[in-house]
Amino acid sequence: MKILMVSPEVAPFSKVGGLGDMVGSLSKEMARMGHDVRVVTPLYGSVKPSAERRLARESLAANLGGGHREYARVWEESLPGAPTSRVYFLEHAGFFDRHEIYAGPWGGHADNAQRFTFLSRAALDLCHELQWYPDVVHCHDWTTGFIPVYLNTTDRNTPLGRTASVMTVHNLQHQGMFGKETFGFSGLPWDVFRADGLEALGNVNMLKGGLYHATKITTVSPNYAKEIQTPAYGCGLDPVLRMRAGDLVGVVNGIDTEVWNPAKDRYLPFPYDAYEMDGKTVSKEMLQSHFDLEQNNTIPIFAAVARLYDQKGLDLLADIAPGLMSDMRLQLVLVGSGDPAVEERFRELAAYYPGRIGVHIGYDECLSHLVEAGADFFLMPSRFEPCGLNQMYSMAYGTPPIARATGGLVDTVEQYVENKGEGTGFLFSDATPGALYYAIGWANSTYYDRKDDYLALRRNGMARDFSWGQSARTYEQVYSWASAQRVGAF
Ligand code: ADP
Ligand code: GLC
């Protein structure tokens, strides 16, 4: 099949969270399965230069509203490990030459509506320009929500009219809501600006447009696919998702086992696997020394790496940290950035408990690998979690997760059964400080008092297969259903 991925993030080139990892690794897997995979994404100021990047088009015009055109220079490169794939980078200094992808220190970029409308329109205009017409365009989150709408309207009577769209919801909380006055820039006809289209409360809602117009919809775990059809998790779009339930499929993400694999990890001092775990002990020593924690292999490290927003529930950890420090023998490590108030709380905790709490505020790829390897438990107290990749990374690294039973965490973490050594981690139900405290206590007592169980949990996690395999085949199936539906084959 000819598959076009359009995404605001593609790892290893650009990444804010798991979306970048997912798009990079799924594209690689699809290319390896023999599909013609091409990816369109912005060339941000933060994308590292590469000797392999070639100029593909000196000037690509994106045809926007009112006859307005914006131009991009297009660069081309393959994904590492997938020589047949092609990533097209759109270079547009005004829109993309910035380090932060979505937001600066003062919130979302003021021109996000225009920036990502441009990404969506330019991706389709690149197909016209190359006369390469994919069977399916795979769109990721709100930034690409206009693509299914273009395919059903402005591009319907062009060769792209036979192209199906698959809209993947990675996170329903972000919808791309903008004032009505931004709509003209898109060049979409006004008759899609309606409640059963992309209008919501008089504004433009890019994701809603994508959800109404996409041929098929997926989200990143079966459990989240159910949750988003309820008011509690639907973020106001649950009626749309219930209406489209027949076209909605939950597919759990795979992980890139070349990048997230303790036996091959180039960021680790010593590689390790389930049979030879010494490298994990060395990683723990390095982690303790990095954060000036007490160098002691017998004290368990509980760690988190995350965007510090409400979704991730790490404020709950800040709430209970003093109690944990007084009641339990453990160390805490946190790597993350986001909400300034939560960042500040963790900075203060680290200052108050030197030697016991280590905090790095910021994004650090290398450190995130060391944490997965060096910690004894990985914390994910998420209020909601569409899939979550970190719990899979941590299981692969022999670091049992402690996770709230929500979204994809339910689909990927298997509950520990005490004294039987079954399961891969610790699940708890309520997003409350008390429930997190209790779960950490449970894990900690397992570490000290049921060592065999703890070691079994480690082994169980490391033995699980989190690679793309099955999920990539499910996407293949979804693409062919979408394509058949689009061309009227069924
Ligand atoms: P989400 O996409 O919601 O942030 P995921 O668990 O799917 O959650 O993916 C998060 C990814 O982002 C992981 O690869 C994680 O290691 C990475 N990440 C998040 N914050 C940081 C950080 N501060 N430094 C390095 N990596 C980070
Ligand atoms: C989003 C979700 C996360 C998911 C990731 C990749 O960022 O918050 O749960 O793993 O997308 O699909």
Side-chain angles (χ1 to χ4, degrees):
M1 296 183 91
K2 293 198 200 105
I3 301 159
L4 175 68
M5 297 270 181
V6 186
S7 175
E9 305 170 34
V10 183
F13 305 111
S14 53
K15 168 173 165 182
V16 172
L19 186 150
D21 282 348
M22 185 278 193
V23 174
S25 56
L26 176 62
S27 304
K28 180 160 104 175
E29 188 73 16
M30 285 291 164
R32 287 182 172 180
M33 286 161 79
H35 299 292
D36 180 357
V37 179
R38 309 198 187 184
V39 186
V40 176
T41 194
L43 187 71
Y44 302 108
S46 49
V47 176
K48 291 201 188 79
S50 149
E52 288 182 22
R53 204 164 295 151
R54 300 169 300 277
L55 190 63
R57 280 284 183 285
E58 179 54 43
S59 178
L60 169 76
N63 295 292
L64 295 152
H68 179 70
R69 292 174 152 198
E70 286 284 337
Y71 296 88
R73 189 178 285 155
V74 185
W75 298 87
E76 182 184 329
E77 184 176 351
S78 61
L79 282 161
T84 63
S85 65
R86 286 186 210 184
V87 181
Y88 296 112
F89 292 99
L90 303 179
E91 181 186 351
H92 183 298
F95 285 153
F96 299 134
D97 190 12
R98 316 176 186 179
H99 279 259
E100 287 91 359
I101 295 184
Y102 307 107
W106 298 279
H109 296 306
D111 54 355
N112 271 351
Q114 292 78 10
R115 296 169 77 223
F116 293 111
T117 299
F118 171 71
L119 167 66
S120 302
R121 189 58 255 173
L124 299 182
D125 283 326
L126 181 62
C127 296
H128 289 301
E129 174 85 17
L130 297 171
Q131 297 188 359
W132 180 81
Y133 303 108
D135 298 297
V136 56
V137 184
H138 190 164
C139 309
H140 299 272
D141 273 359
W142 67 269
T143 58
T144 55
F146 276 174
I147 290 179
V149 194
Y150 283 127
L151 291 176
N152 284 353
T153 56
T154 49
D155 295 58
R156 191 61 169 129
N157 296 318
T158 73
L160 280 178
R162 291 172 67 83
T163 297
S165 54
V166 171
M167 182 85 231
T168 291
V169 176
H170 294 263
N171 191 330
L172 204 58
Q173 198 174 46
H174 306 289
Q175 301 181 359
M177 293 261 249
F178 301 101
K180 187 177 176 179
E181 72 285 355
T182 60
F183 185 64
F185 185 77
S186 68
L188 285 167
W190 275 98
D191 56 10
V192 296
F193 188 82
R194 50 199 243 193
D196 58 347
L198 49 75
E199 183 268 344
L201 305 171
N203 292 314
V204 172
N205 184 319
M206 287 190 175
L207 181 62
K208 187 179 175 196
L211 295 176
Y212 263 106
H213 284 266
T215 321
K216 294 280 178 198
I217 301 168
T218 76
T219 187
V220 289
S221 68
N223 192 37
Y224 193 59
K226 283 189 226 143
E227 288 175 344
I228 55 178
Q229 296 179 52
T230 67
Y233 287 92
C235 302
L237 291 180
D238 46 296
V240 187
L241 290 156
R242 284 197 296 277
M243 187 200 78
R244 297 227 49 200
D247 290 310
L248 168 64
V249 187
V251 189
V252 88
N253 289 331
I255 69 172
D256 187 331
T257 50
E258 276 153 22
V259 176
W260 293 97
N261 179 343
K264 294 185 185 168
D265 194 323
R266 62 192 174 96
Y267 293 113
L268 297 187
F270 286 103
Y272 63 91
D273 58 27
Y275 305 100
E276 182 47 75
M277 296 285 280
D278 288 355
K280 186 163 174 67
T281 312
V282 178
S283 297
K284 181 168 176 177
E285 279 164 16
M286 277 190 64
L287 194 59
Q288 283 176 326
S289 113
H290 182 92
F291 284 106
D292 284 327
L293 302 175
E294 184 188 336
Q295 288 285 163
N296 185 334
N297 185 36
T298 66
I299 304 177
I301 304 179
F302 290 69
V305 180
R307 300 178 295 112
L308 298 179
Y309 293 106
D310 184 65
Q311 174 189 351
K312 301 294 174 184
L314 285 162
D315 50 305
L316 304 173
L317 180 64
D319 290 344
I320 60 169
L324 293 174
M325 290 294 109
S326 65
D327 303 346
M328 299 181 207
R329 185 170 178 264
L330 52 77
Q331 296 176 342
L332 289 180
V333 162
L334 174 115
V335 178
S337 61
D339 182 343
V342 182
E343 289 182 355
E344 192 47 35
R345 291 182 72 189
F346 278 104
R347 276 201 199 94
E348 283 170 9
L349 283 165
Y352 202 79
Y353 297 101
R356 297 192 65 198
I357 299 185
V359 170
H360 173 86
I361 299 298
Y363 185 91
D364 189 328
E365 189 76 30
C366 175
L367 196 52
S368 72
H369 286 246
L370 186 66
V371 170
E372 295 286 4
D376 298 288
F377 296 98
F378 198 90
L379 295 165
M380 292 186 77
S382 306
R383 291 195 166 82
F384 70 96
E385 196 61 78
C387 178
L389 297 176
N390 268 321
Q391 78 283 10
M392 294 192 265
Y393 300 154
S394 72
M395 287 183 273
Y397 282 66
T399 308
I402 298 169
R404 175 154 179 264
T406 183
L409 297 169
V410 171
D411 291 321
T412 53
V413 179
E414 198 188 312
Q415 181 69 299
Y416 164 53
V417 184
E418 213 168 291
N419 296 319
K420 285 197 174 164
E422 288 168 12
T424 57
F426 301 82
L427 289 167
F428 63 97
S429 299
D430 298 337
T432 59
L436 177 61
Y437 177 91
Y438 177 78
I440 291 177
W442 187 25
N444 206 38
S445 68
T446 307
Y447 184 86
Y448 284 114
D449 305 334
R450 292 178 297 280
K451 201 77 189 188
D452 288 346
D453 276 8
Y454 173 71
L455 296 175
L457 283 186
R458 260 189 179 172
R459 279 195 304 275
N460 297 345
M462 293 181 91
R464 290 279 188 288
D465 179 8
F466 297 112
S467 66
W468 267 103
Q470 184 55 43
S471 294
R473 281 190 290 280
T474 309
Y475 272 110
E476 203 173 39
Q477 185 74 68
V478 171
Y479 294 160
S480 56
W481 285 333
S483 176
Q485 187 169 323
R486 184 71 172 179
V487 300
F490 67 74

